[in-house]
Amino acid sequence: MGVARRIVSSAIVATLVGLSVSACGGNAPAAPSPPQPPAPPSATRYSLSGRVLSGSGGTGIGSARVDVSAGVNVGKTATADAEGRYTINDLVAGEMTLLASAPGYTTQSSKVTIGANQTFDFNLPAAPPTADRATVSGVVSFGPSKVCLGASRVDVTAGPDSGRSANVDDTGRYALPNLRLGSVTLEASAPGHAAQTTTLTLTADQAADFTLAASPNLTIGRAIDAVTQNGVGSLKVDGDGVSGTSCDASGAFLVSAAAGSADPRLLIFTGPDLVERRTNVRLPGADLLVSLISGGFDLRAFDEMFRAPQLRRWTSAPPLLIEARSLQFTDVNMMDAVALDDVMPDAEAASLVSDLTWALPQLTGGSFSNFSNVSRQTAAQGARVNLLNDDVITVSRVVGLTAATGFWGYGRWRFQNDGRVVAGIVMLDRDFDRSGSGFVRSLRAHELGHALGYNHVTARTSVMNAQARTEPNDFDHDAARIAFQRPPGNRSPDVDPSSASINRVITATWSAPIR
């Protein structure tokens, strides 16, 4: 909505003046206290982290130990997780000797000088076999897509080396070197799959392959950043009767349920510097693509623009109807208007359509590259022209709008109670629209935003600022991209409609006019 007058804002500067106050009394001044030595600085502490890997560039060795065996911090120790990751905290600066060890691998020693938080990886070669040792190796396979293959593992569950384990690499291979001869039981496991167990009698190196059956209620998916479309890893995935596993930095994840259900289930995604996403999925079901909002994104401005309180938007590209005859303005709530003698020339109509078509993809995150169709009508002079038309965005020029209201334009939209927008109105003051002002295009984009279902933004610069002097900017592009990756009815901070809102009886309502 545009204003016809220039708005000047002023800032008030407050200056604080410090006052010096002295006190007088009848007693003699006390003797000065002797100077005190400065307190010694507290020692800075650091952390050391990294991975213990099997061979050069191999997989992580679960339960490997990293010990500080000499130098500063001697006695500090850490046990690696299932992916071979370790962290030793509270370290003082200086040189120290690290010792990495794991059953079946050759111990490695390295000197490290620490003076800041840093990382250090170990690559442990398999220990040379002895006459009474053997290696079990093989391939773990499951599913058609190999999603989360790297999260699978093989454990020794019985035998003299019970407790040993090996991670499966990205090709599905694993190796358990230097197992003592005799009976050994191995269990292969992977998220969303039934574990498989086998018992071997080791007399020499041996191969053991596993094929894991997927849960009947397993669905795979990928999580991406809503703006950059890059994969998002390190997620926690859980929900209503489901369990999930985030696999890697590509955003791959698995979700499964103990029992199937015809109803959608709540699924919750959380992670570092992310807005929690709550959505609903069917298990089993089609593969999932879930977009997540970065924690640094301006949710306040996004909510102002799209969610009041629920997200409202068109779900398909709208048609555009241009009324070529200028109409007589009476009030902002008018449902129809009288057609005047003035008709929009072809060149001006083409300019109007061009500007609206330019703005549409920017205001819809690229989801709509064009209107579904563009039509033009010319009402008879003196006829009453209906403005509230369903299933179309109706654009008209009106005479007397700015003189009556002080603004350049108004917009409205018609929305259903599930948040879907199904119609819109753009009213432009005829004289301003013909004025050649540098803000004609920004006003047209702004009023189109209202017809698409968007509200005013006050929290930051945006095409939806009430002054209508800003063309779509980076925030508007990113916000629209996020909005069109969410269903109508989405609520702050990022909650999709519950299953109760699906297949409801729908009614539609026109918004109030917004300048």
Side-chain angles (χ1 to χ4, degrees), residues 19 34 48 67 86 99 109 147 151 161 238 301 342 363 386 468 484 490:
L19 301 179
L48 179 73
D67 296 278
Y86 75 92
L99 205 64
S109 175
V147 170
D161 293 296
D238 55 24
D342 179 61
L363 296 175
N386 186 35
F484 276 78
N490 174 276

Side-chain angles (χ1 to χ4, degrees), residues 30-246:
S33 300
Q36 299 295 318
S42 58
T44 303
R45 302 286 177 158
Y46 305 105
S47 65
L48 179 73
S49 59
R51 296 187 71 191
V52 183
L53 303 170
S54 172
S56 177
T59 59
I61 303 174
S63 301
R65 282 175 55 93
V66 178
D67 296 278
V68 182
S69 60
V72 297
N73 304 301
V74 66
K76 292 275 189 179
T77 186
T79 300
D81 64 14
E83 296 183 346
R85 301 184 187 279
Y86 75 92
T87 298
I88 306 176
N89 294 313
D90 200 32
L91 301 175
V92 297
E95 185 180 82
M96 57 187 179
T97 300
L98 300 176
L99 205 64
S101 60
Y105 294 88
T106 300
T107 298
Q108 186 181 58
S109 175
S110 295
K111 285 187 177 181
V112 174
T113 299
I114 190 164
N117 294 334
Q118 62 190 76
T119 61
F120 190 88
D121 293 344
F122 293 90
N123 299 98
L124 303 188
T130 60
D132 63 342
R133 303 295 176 108
T135 295
V136 178
S137 61
V139 175
V140 178
S141 59
F142 60 84
S145 64
K146 296 187 179 298
V147 170
C148 288
L149 182 62
S152 59
R153 56 187 287 162
V154 178
D155 294 274
V156 180
T157 59
D161 293 296
S162 180
R164 288 274 307 277
S165 66
N167 292 327
V168 177
D169 68 18
D170 291 339
T171 69
R173 298 187 176 277
Y174 78 94
L176 286 161
N178 293 303
L179 297 178
R180 280 169 279 190
L181 302 182
S183 178
V184 59
T185 300
L186 305 180
E187 181 181 83
S189 59
H193 293 72
Q196 185 181 5
T197 300
T198 187
T199 299
L200 310 171
T201 300
L202 293 183
T203 58
D205 292 350
Q206 191 166 339
D209 295 339
F210 298 88
T211 300
L212 305 186
S215 161
N217 303 305
L218 176 69
T219 296
I220 66 175
R222 184 167 180 258
I224 59 173
D225 183 285
V227 172
T228 67
Q229 305 295 290
N230 294 330
V232 177
S234 301
L235 297 173
K236 179 182 179 184
V237 186
D238 55 24
D240 181 15
V242 304
S243 60
T245 300
S246 176

Side-chain angles (χ1 to χ4, degrees), residues 273-308:
D273 195 32
L274 293 171
V275 176
E276 179 184 272
R277 178 85 191 268
R278 290 175 172 252
T279 189
N280 302 283
V281 300
R282 296 183 185 277
L283 296 177
D287 291 357
L288 304 173
L289 183 65
V290 178
S291 70
L292 303 173
I293 302 174
S294 168
F297 185 72
D298 191 341
L299 273 188
R300 177 187 169 193
F302 181 81
D303 288 347
E304 286 184 332
M305 187 168 178
F306 290 101
R307 300 192 288 204

